[in-house]
Amino acid sequence: MVGVGPAGCAEQGDSGPEPSCVLGIDLGTTSVKAALVTGTERALALAQRDTRAHTDSREAGPQGMEQNVQSIIRALNECLAALPQQQLQRVSHIGISGQMHGVVFWKSDQGCRWAEGGPGPAFEPQEVSPLVTWQDGRCSPSFLSSLPLPQSHVSLATGFGCATIYWYSQKSPDFLRGYDAAGTIQDYVAAMLCGLKKPLMSIQNAASWGYFNCRSKSWNTDILEKSGFPVHLLPEVGDPGSIAGSTISAWHGIPKGAKVGIALGDFQCSVYSCLTERTDAVLNISTSAQLTISMPLGFQPPDTPDPSSAITYFPYFSGDYLAVAASLNGGNVLAAFVGMVAQWTQELGFEVQESAIYTRIIQAALAQTHSTLSVHPTIFGERHTPEQLASVTNIAASELSLGHVTRALCHGLVQNLCSMLPVQHLRGVGVRRVLGSGSALARNEVLRQEVERIFPFPVVYGKDVDAAVGAAMVLLHGK
């Protein structure tokens, strides 16, 4: 008899010929990733493909940010085709995460077509709109201010699903008449795999759309109906970690009847893949930067949004919440600084590759252990203070070297995150350790030094942050 884990997955140490696997999928902004994970939480195989899905918006023009769903599903199929067939045949559960906030529309009875492929059947999108992503800018501040105030702890922003649906209902109502279902891109994939007539969305993704009350676990239907919102497009909502359904067909060798988890947020799954203790804080510095902590058990967010707050509360698992300081300024600021140095060098008549500049400025900063320069690095603004841009103060003639400026810039990036979620707040909720992750942190020793200087906790690096693995782990743990 084969032993079974909490989500029905045979565990590695059990008797029986072959333990079953969980497939984790992450449908990201620029790429799709798939991971096969066993009961030991070990990734057996990984595959990643760029989506190259950007497409021009017919309705919103240059403010629109849309992606071709066919391109996304093609990248997903390529990922699965790259995974070992023998292990795909052992998949019992499929966990799906993806980019939050965005919205895609489809006809519920014509959302896809199943076709025979090389390794087995796969689905191809049919009557499906482009995905309007979280980066979409069609909803201007004046348009957003004309919408009713949500009964939710989340402030509405452009790129949020409900804001985009409002925009279509007012600016292009004919567009919406062609569809009867909507969801995030990960909800679409789950609905196609399970043959759902009505899409099912997790609380995590519903909160990211706006007009969703996490306490009552319900949409603000009264507020929405009164203002002419097409509420029939809102998905059903379920708890993260629950099962959405079973696959209606074999899929790339995965047996028909495999359990499919309700689709999750990529941010929550990334955190889940590395956050093992409630006393850990997760610091991620990639293109942007986030500092995340677990809120105490029983915490409930406020009923109304606070647009001036630097902290956002994300629904997590089992009724818990994450507090997140999400900065728009991370590795992108360092990239802009390197670009500026390259441009100045070019204007002086020299050619230096940006990769060489990056290496040199880090070396120069390592030679300067301290700088009294003060750099406030928010060249991209912040969501809670969009008008407050970057500044440099306390400039002394003795601290104008590239080393001093780079050291001060790295310090400023970490300090900016700490101003959003202060160290005393971390202490107050019992944080004892910081888990450092992200590409900018991995390649920049100066940034790591400044993290260790500013945080009065041990800092641990090298924890893999992977939303696809996290989506699989959620089902392994039967969350």
Side-chain angles (χ1 to χ4, degrees):
M1 181 176 169
V2 176
V4 174
C9 305
E11 293 177 345
Q12 191 70 291
D14 299 329
S15 60
E18 291 283 7
S20 62
C21 306
V22 177
L23 172 67
I25 294 167
D26 179 49
L27 303 159
T29 307
T30 59
S31 65
V32 171
K33 190 168 188 179
L36 284 167
V37 179
T38 66
T40 58
E41 298 182 9
R42 185 168 54 88
L44 293 175
L46 298 168
Q48 185 166 345
R49 295 290 184 274
D50 291 339
T51 54
R52 299 183 179 88
H54 176 77
T55 184
D56 292 334
S57 171
R58 278 190 296 185
E59 286 86 9
Q63 294 301 315
M65 189 63 78
E66 298 182 5
Q67 292 184 350
N68 182 293
V69 173
Q70 283 78 4
S71 298
I72 296 170
I73 301 305
R74 188 181 306 120
L76 173 59
N77 286 330
E78 288 172 1
C79 276
L80 293 178
L83 293 174
Q85 262 296 303
Q86 188 179 359
Q87 290 170 354
L88 284 171
Q89 290 165 10
R90 290 161 38 202
V91 168
S92 63
H93 289 67
I94 302 170
I96 307 173
S97 78
Q99 49 177 305
M100 296 159 71
H101 308 296
V103 58
V104 60
F105 305 90
W106 66 93
K107 285 186 178 175
S108 58
D109 57 345
Q110 300 174 54
C112 73
R113 181 176 70 87
W114 283 87
E116 283 296 330
F123 70 88
E124 300 168 358
Q126 265 195 303
E127 296 297 320
V128 181
S129 76
L131 167 66
V132 181
T133 78
W134 61 276
Q135 296 171 309
D136 189 82
R138 73 188 65 198
C139 298
S140 65
S142 60
F143 178 80
L144 291 170
S145 65
S146 73
L147 302 178
L149 193 67
Q151 190 186 9
S152 165
H153 74 280
V154 180
S155 295
L156 198 64
T158 186
F160 282 26
C162 282
T164 303
I165 296 172
Y166 261 125
W167 188 93
Y168 277 117
S169 68
Q170 295 184 24
K171 309 280 188 183
S172 187
D174 286 347
F175 171 88
L176 290 180
R177 291 191 188 104
Y179 305 103
D180 62 355
T184 64
I185 185 64
Q186 56 268 35
D187 298 320
Y188 166 76
V189 170
M192 296 307 103
L193 289 176
C194 300
L196 302 179
K197 293 299 178 198
K198 180 89 172 169
L200 184 61
M201 180 183 255
S202 70
I203 288 168
Q204 295 174 354
N205 288 320
S208 82
W209 263 25
Y211 291 99
F212 183 81
N213 188 297
C214 288
R215 288 191 183 198
S216 63
K217 300 185 181 181
S218 61
W219 298 105
N220 298 167
T221 43
D222 288 349
I223 295 169
L224 294 167
E225 279 179 331
K226 283 176 187 170
S227 56
F229 185 96
V231 293
H232 67 280
L233 289 173
L234 293 172
E236 302 287 341
V237 179
D239 288 325
S242 60
I243 300 298
S246 301
T247 52
I248 57 170
S249 165
W251 184 46
H252 287 277
I254 297 168
K256 177 182 176 180
K259 297 276 193 296
V260 179
I262 192 169
L264 305 168
D266 55 356
F267 177 75
Q268 287 91 336
C269 287
S270 293
V271 171
Y272 194 85
S273 71
C274 68
L275 187 67
T276 54
E277 303 291 338
R278 297 189 72 89
T279 52
D280 288 342
V282 179
L283 171 67
N284 180 69
I285 308 181
S286 298
T287 303
S288 54
Q290 302 86 30
L291 179 58
T292 305
I293 56 172
S294 299
M295 292 303 290
L297 291 169
F299 168 84
Q300 287 292 326
D303 269 335
T304 54
D306 178 4
S308 65
S309 173
I311 298 175
T312 307
Y313 298 105
F314 283 75
Y316 195 42
F317 295 98
S318 306
D320 287 351
Y321 284 84
L322 300 173
V324 186
S327 173
L328 300 175
N329 300 273
N332 51 0
V333 175
L334 290 163
F337 178 63
V338 168
M340 180 189 76
V341 174
Q343 187 180 340
W344 285 7
T345 306
Q346 190 177 30
E347 288 172 10
L348 290 168
F350 304 100
E351 282 290 343
V352 185
Q353 292 294 317
E354 288 195 5
S355 56
I357 291 173
Y358 196 96
T359 304
R360 292 280 178 84
I361 65 170
I362 299 304
Q363 287 173 346
L366 286 170
Q368 305 295 339
T369 55
H370 182 70
S371 176
T372 57
L373 266 177
S374 178
V375 177
H376 189 72
T378 53
I379 57 174
F380 299 106
E382 295 292 9
R383 288 189 180 93
H384 61 290
T385 52
E387 69 293 333
Q388 187 177 321
L389 299 178
S391 62
V392 182
T393 56
N394 215 37
I395 304 167
S398 59
E399 301 214 358
L400 297 177
S401 73
L402 267 179
H404 283 104
V405 175
T406 304
R407 169 70 67 181
L409 178 58
C410 291
H411 181 86
L413 283 170
V414 182
Q415 191 60 54
N416 179 55
L417 266 180
C418 275
S419 71
M420 296 167 71
L421 189 49
V423 165
Q424 56 265 36
H425 192 109
L426 302 185
R427 279 203 177 105
V429 296
V431 167
R432 293 181 191 161
R433 183 173 68 160
V434 173
L435 306 179
S437 64
S439 54
L441 211 51
R443 67 185 294 208
N444 187 332
E445 188 180 341
V446 180
L447 206 51
R448 294 195 296 272
Q449 288 177 354
E450 292 304 324
V451 166
E452 291 158 26
R453 190 196 304 263
I454 287 171
F455 287 102
F457 312 105
V459 182
V460 178
Y461 302 104
K463 278 286 221 177
D464 285 338
V465 177
D466 189 313
V469 172
M473 284 169 59
V474 169
L475 292 184
L476 272 176
H477 295 163
K479 271 289 182 187

